[in-house]
Amino acid sequence: MFGFCGCLNFERGAVEFSVLKRMCGLHSVGCAFINKEYGVLCDGVADLSESVLQPVTVRYNNSLFTAAVISDRHIHAGGSLAQAVLEGYIEEGEEYVRRLDFPYALALYDGRCGELLLAKGHAGDKPLFYTVKDGAVYFASSLRPLLRLYGGCVRINKRILKKHLEGGYTHLPEGLFCDISSVRAGHSLLCSRLGQSDVPTLRGMYAFDSFPDSRGDVPSLSARADMRRALTDALFAFDYPQFDCYMPSLMEYLSAAKSRGVSRVRVGDPTAVLCSEYAAERADRLGTLWDVEITSLPAPSDTSAKKSLKSMEKELDGILCEYLSSNECILRRLTDTESIEAIGEEKSIPLRIRKKGMLCQTAMWFESFNLVLV
């Protein structure tokens, strides 16, 4: 995990560090804060002296306030972004959080009133998920900690998964996980002894750092891409099936940028024309996997790459046939032969590749996690 996970447990009045550690997984360094009913653990920092991801706690009027933030913005003039958010919140309350003008995912606990605020910015798509289990609210900045929390039984909605696999470009479908929800962009989840309330936040005036022009590099589609590796890497980045024909070349581009020490790129993304929410999620998840900040800009699709697309589809067909040859494959229970044949008859080659790729990923997903279709 690269980020934070935590728990608010009013029922027991205590949070177990062992549970947070199990959610976090096996990593070398991290920093935690636990006090009575609230606990948060940050992990993935390269050095404990680095304050970017560590939770920050301050005492004010004999009450403890704690914050953890995921964002591409950092406070360089001393302190951390979490500390700056806490100071602003203590002075101005939730009005300060509403005015944050960049993409972020925030967990802020107000010990004065015993409330937890889970919030996301309007732009971008920094992940933030939560679930209610055994009377406690668990949250994380990625899906995997909550999947580990449920361990033996993570329920997947069969109808919504099938619709996702057979549909067009879309970000995480609402209701895909029966027990895990996502905080929506531009919304806050207020958690207290009275329950959880979804609250829309006011849109601030965004002032993002801009590049000199609006163009981005468009990685050329490659017929030599390792599709099995690309499917696996994308599944690892998203934690659920999500794929498109431009991902393999983008992954190669990000890998090359990382090896050159580049930390920020601008990329022309044809999917941004089709679904901006999907493009935002895609940029964040793949950028996080390679530790490269991606600015995704709309770009036209490459109409001259049919040969590369045909090569991709041929390799995908081979992988998909391997899975369908087994009577135990989850795809046998999820969909029927007619639906699979209908995907093969899709006129758009990029959309065929997306759907076939996600079918392969679904088989991989159920092999890798203990998921239950309901």
Side-chain angles (χ1 to χ4, degrees):
M1 185 192 74
F2 184 89
F4 59 77
C5 63
C7 175
L8 179 64
N9 194 335
F10 287 119
E11 189 169 293
R12 294 188 58 190
V15 174
E16 297 179 11
F17 176 72
S18 59
V19 175
L20 297 184
K21 192 62 180 172
R22 186 175 76 246
M23 292 171 63
C24 183
L26 300 176
H27 290 272
S28 57
V29 294
C31 185
F33 168 83
I34 298 178
N35 182 51
K36 298 180 181 178
E37 71 271 9
Y38 181 71
V40 62
L41 191 155
C42 296
D43 201 13
V45 292
D47 189 325
L48 282 176
S49 63
E50 185 180 344
S51 60
V52 172
L53 277 178
Q54 293 183 25
V56 173
T57 301
V58 299
R59 181 180 292 276
Y60 180 76
N61 285 347
N62 295 321
S63 296
L64 293 178
F65 297 77
T66 303
V69 186
I70 294 292
S71 176
D72 296 324
R73 300 294 182 89
H74 306 306
I75 303 298
H76 298 290
S80 69
L81 180 56
Q83 182 175 342
V85 169
L86 271 184
E87 291 173 354
Y89 175 81
I90 290 172
E91 288 184 10
E92 304 179 36
E94 292 182 28
E95 180 61 31
Y96 177 84
V97 177
R98 295 190 185 104
R99 293 206 311 270
L100 294 179
D101 62 350
F102 48 82
Y104 67 89
L106 166 69
L108 191 156
Y109 181 67
D110 186 337
R112 175 183 49 194
C113 54
E115 293 182 344
L116 169 65
L117 182 70
L118 302 176
K120 284 177 63 171
H122 285 270
D125 187 15
K126 294 297 174 186
L128 186 56
F129 305 95
Y130 69 94
T131 186
V132 179
K133 185 176 186 290
D134 300 326
V137 178
Y138 294 89
F139 60 91
S141 58
S142 65
L143 274 167
R144 203 166 300 126
L146 299 182
L147 297 179
R148 292 193 190 103
L149 175 69
Y150 278 93
C153 183
V154 178
R155 300 186 301 159
I156 304 297
N157 186 302
K158 179 179 179 180
R159 178 184 61 82
I160 294 178
L161 176 58
K162 191 172 185 294
K163 183 179 179 181
H164 173 61
L165 296 176
E166 297 175 359
Y169 296 86
T170 179
H171 60 315
L172 176 64
E174 185 174 351
L176 176 63
F177 295 90
C178 298
D179 304 299
I180 300 173
S181 301
S182 173
V183 178
R184 292 180 290 169
H187 282 246
S188 301
L189 188 77
L190 186 63
C191 308
S192 68
R193 293 184 183 276
L194 299 177
Q196 300 82 46
S197 301
D198 182 282
V199 182
T201 54
L202 299 176
R203 180 180 290 274
M205 295 299 294
Y206 285 86
F208 297 111
D209 293 339
S210 59
F211 287 101
D213 57 56
S214 60
R215 293 172 297 174
D217 295 335
V218 182
S220 300
L221 293 174
S222 173
R224 301 187 304 274
D226 184 341
M227 295 300 291
R228 196 181 296 269
R229 174 64 184 272
L231 291 169
T232 304
D233 286 347
L235 183 59
F236 183 80
F238 286 86
D239 284 324
Y240 74 98
Q242 200 65 285
F243 193 71
D244 61 68
C245 67
Y246 309 102
M247 274 192 192
S249 54
L250 176 59
M251 291 172 177
E252 292 179 357
Y253 176 87
L254 293 174
S255 180
K258 179 66 176 177
S259 65
R260 298 195 308 271
V262 176
S263 61
R264 188 179 183 190
V265 297
R266 55 181 181 182
V267 176
D269 181 5
T271 70
V273 179
L274 302 169
C275 179
S276 59
E277 293 85 359
Y278 170 70
E281 181 186 32
R282 178 182 186 267
D284 181 82
R285 305 307 187 267
L286 296 181
T288 298
L289 184 60
W290 270 271
D291 194 22
V292 176
E293 182 184 347
I294 301 175
T295 297
S296 181
L297 303 170
S301 58
D302 187 354
T303 56
S304 63
K306 287 188 177 181
K307 184 177 179 180
S308 296
L309 293 174
K310 288 288 187 181
S311 178
M312 285 185 196
E313 186 174 20
K314 183 178 179 180
E315 189 173 349
L316 279 176
D317 286 338
I319 298 172
L320 185 57
C321 282
E322 288 181 24
Y323 285 114
L324 292 174
S325 65
S326 171
N327 291 328
E328 303 300 319
C329 179
I330 191 64
L331 299 179
R332 296 289 186 184
R333 294 170 47 201
L334 180 63
T335 189
D336 51 35
T337 303
E338 290 183 0
S339 297
I340 294 175
E341 290 178 350
I343 289 176
E345 296 172 359
E346 168 65 48
K347 293 182 179 179
S348 168
I349 299 179
L351 198 52
R352 284 205 308 268
I353 289 175
R354 170 174 168 78
K355 293 178 179 181
K356 290 179 180 180
M358 291 198 301
L359 284 174
C360 295
Q361 285 181 320
T362 299
M364 296 174 177
W365 196 33
F366 276 79
E367 285 181 350
S368 302
F369 293 93
N370 198 357
L371 308 175
V372 180
L373 275 180
V374 295

